[in-house]
Amino acid sequence: MSKQKLSYDEQLAAAKQFIQEHEHFLVVSHIQPDGDAISSTCAVAWILEQCGKSYVMVNESQTPHKFHYLRGAKAIIQHSKEPINQLFDAVIAVDCADFLRIGSVSQAFSETAQILNIDHHPTSDLFGQVHVIKDDAAATAEILYDLMLTMQLKLDKDVSECIYTGLLTDTGGFRYSNTSPKVMKIASELLTYGINGNTLAEHLLETLSFSHIQLLKKSLSTLSFSDDYQISWMSITQEVVNNTGASNEDFEGLVNYPRNIEGVEVGMLFKQTAPELVKVSFRSAGKVDVAQIAKSFGGGGHIRAAGCSIEGELSFAIEEVVSKVKKALI
Ligand code: 5GP
Ligand code: MN
């Protein structure tokens, strides 16, 4: 992977060149998109518009309703509902730690498609031909801000809202350890474009949906600990998901409850997504690199926040994962 030896500035220059060399793009992010994924998708679309290029934004999953205020978010096609029957030669993938995270949208890549991969996950499998991978960036949106500077684009209120949203959500409201001086510097500049940081924080971080509270109530009753109280987890069965009518976005933040307990090093949420399939979310207080644990189960992520899916029953997944986390804590 010689491309990875490029400096960050060289990677940004290569991304600029990639955009200049193509005309029509597919913009994609990861399945079950979060704030950074949607923001980055919309920010790339904004960049392409500034350059007079055409594009289609597609995601395998539905765009969570709470991100509809972002300029362009409503135009993101949900591939699982509305498959596009067009093949693309130029693809820009944002916030996708590995190729599989693109999901079914990869069916829309032509055989010779050129992919620009922009991401901040340390577990990146470096899919694509051109990369801008910066694993100490707080969010993919931070990298896109740098790309805008490289391309000498003049930011406006709409795109500022996108970048700010990516930063806000991936730093947990400017609280996680990825909240660098650079993040705060960018955020303070973005506020000068007229966006309302307070409204965004209220909307994205404070407001709880009714389904979320129902899920929280049910999942707290499953709260469990390892003998030394360094590991804590909660689980949600498919039945509970169905009964609460919860959608993906309603699960956000649940994993923080076990993680935030005094003395807990690793907090986890086990969510049964099918009778024999369990989605695991990991959060670490810092001692354990949960990206590596998730990776060992075919997933990935960041040192302090990662995820994977495990085939088997809920109790099996809990046993397997907890025993691996225990080993990592020895
Ligand atoms: P969450 O627990 O919020 O779903 O995910 C936390 C972090 O782990 C995110 O950065 C996300 O990209 C990553 N992640 C979650 N699930 C998976 C997965 O199945 N595969 C990979 N590679 N990364 C994941
Ligand atoms: Mn991200």
Side-chain angles (χ1 to χ4, degrees):
M1 284 287 167
S2 58
K3 288 181 193 85
Q4 263 309 288
K5 285 184 190 140
L6 296 180
S7 70
Y8 183 50
D9 284 344
E10 287 166 340
Q11 292 182 51
L12 289 168
K16 176 181 173 182
Q17 194 184 342
F18 182 92
I19 291 170
Q20 286 167 341
E21 280 174 353
H22 298 86
E23 289 308 318
H24 187 51
F25 297 81
L26 171 65
V27 186
V28 64
S29 187
H30 60 80
I31 55 170
Q32 294 171 8
D34 56 9
D36 190 28
I38 300 295
S39 301
S40 297
T41 302
C42 295
V44 167
W46 181 90
I47 292 175
L48 294 172
E49 276 173 39
Q50 305 301 303
C51 302
K53 308 286 180 175
S54 64
Y55 63 85
V56 180
M57 295 178 281
V58 189
N59 196 289
E60 178 184 304
S61 321
Q62 193 175 22
T63 299
H65 199 265
K66 68 177 171 192
F67 301 125
H68 277 185
Y69 68 89
L70 293 168
R71 182 183 173 277
K74 286 190 207 148
I76 302 173
I77 296 169
Q78 184 186 341
H79 196 249
S80 55
K81 206 166 145 193
E82 222 185 304
I84 42 165
N85 44 19
Q86 205 190 129
L87 289 179
F88 290 80
D89 292 322
V91 175
I92 303 181
V94 285
D95 206 40
C96 295
D98 54 62
F99 192 75
L100 282 178
R101 297 276 288 161
I102 291 171
S104 62
V105 180
S106 62
Q107 292 162 8
F109 300 0
S110 75
E111 237 172 76
T112 53
Q114 296 292 301
I115 305 173
L116 165 59
N117 177 355
I118 304 177
D119 188 31
H120 70 128
H121 290 92
T123 53
S124 175
D125 68 357
L126 305 178
F127 69 85
Q129 286 69 41
V130 180
H131 307 107
V132 190
I133 312 282
K134 190 174 196 292
D135 63 13
D136 61 350
T140 299
E142 178 184 323
I143 303 173
L144 292 173
Y145 171 87
D146 291 337
L147 181 59
M148 289 168 195
L149 290 194
T150 300
M151 298 179 78
Q152 294 177 317
L153 298 175
K154 195 175 158 6
L155 274 62
D156 63 14
K157 187 179 171 187
D158 286 337
V159 81
S160 296
E161 203 160 54
C162 293
I163 304 295
Y164 193 92
T165 296
L167 294 177
L168 184 75
T169 53
D170 263 19
T171 59
F174 304 116
R175 289 179 304 177
Y176 300 158
S177 58
N178 57 358
T179 311
S180 63
K182 184 179 170 189
V183 166
M184 298 309 257
K185 195 159 170 268
I186 296 173
S188 87
E189 188 202 324
L190 296 174
L191 287 171
T192 68
Y193 290 97
I195 59 171
N196 189 325
N198 169 246
T199 309
L200 290 171
E202 287 255 347
H203 174 62
L204 295 167
L205 306 172
E206 305 288 345
T207 309
L208 305 173
S209 69
F210 189 72
S211 303
H212 174 86
I213 285 295
Q214 295 293 102
L215 277 181
L216 178 61
K217 201 170 139 186
K218 291 277 182 193
S219 50
L220 277 176
S221 68
T222 71
L223 186 72
S224 307
F225 295 90
S226 58
D227 290 342
D228 60 5
Y229 287 82
Q230 287 200 86
I231 311 169
S232 177
W233 63 94
M234 306 196 297
S235 57
I236 297 172
T237 61
Q238 238 189 329
E239 197 190 350
V240 167
V241 178
N242 295 339
N243 290 345
T244 51
S247 57
N248 280 327
E249 54 187 296
D250 296 317
F251 289 84
E252 232 168 82
L254 287 179
V255 66
N256 291 330
Y257 286 87
R259 150 72 183 87
N260 287 346
I261 299 166
E262 198 177 13
V264 168
E265 277 299 329
V266 178
M268 290 171 287
L269 181 74
F270 294 86
K271 172 186 161 196
Q272 192 183 34
T273 51
E276 294 276 322
L277 195 64
V278 181
K279 163 90 199 163
V280 193
S281 279
F282 299 86
R283 296 293 183 271
S284 166
K287 250 194 218 170
V288 176
D289 178 352
V290 286
Q292 289 313 317
I293 295 180
K295 206 174 172 187
S296 74
F297 289 107
H302 308 273
I303 292 173
R304 287 170 179 248
C308 65
S309 289
I310 292 181
E311 275 180 42
E313 287 182 14
L314 195 53
S315 55
F316 168 80
I318 294 173
E319 223 176 277
E320 289 286 300
V321 172
V322 171
S323 91
K324 198 155 246 173
V325 176
K326 275 183 187 161
K327 279 183 199 136
L329 270 165
I330 292 170

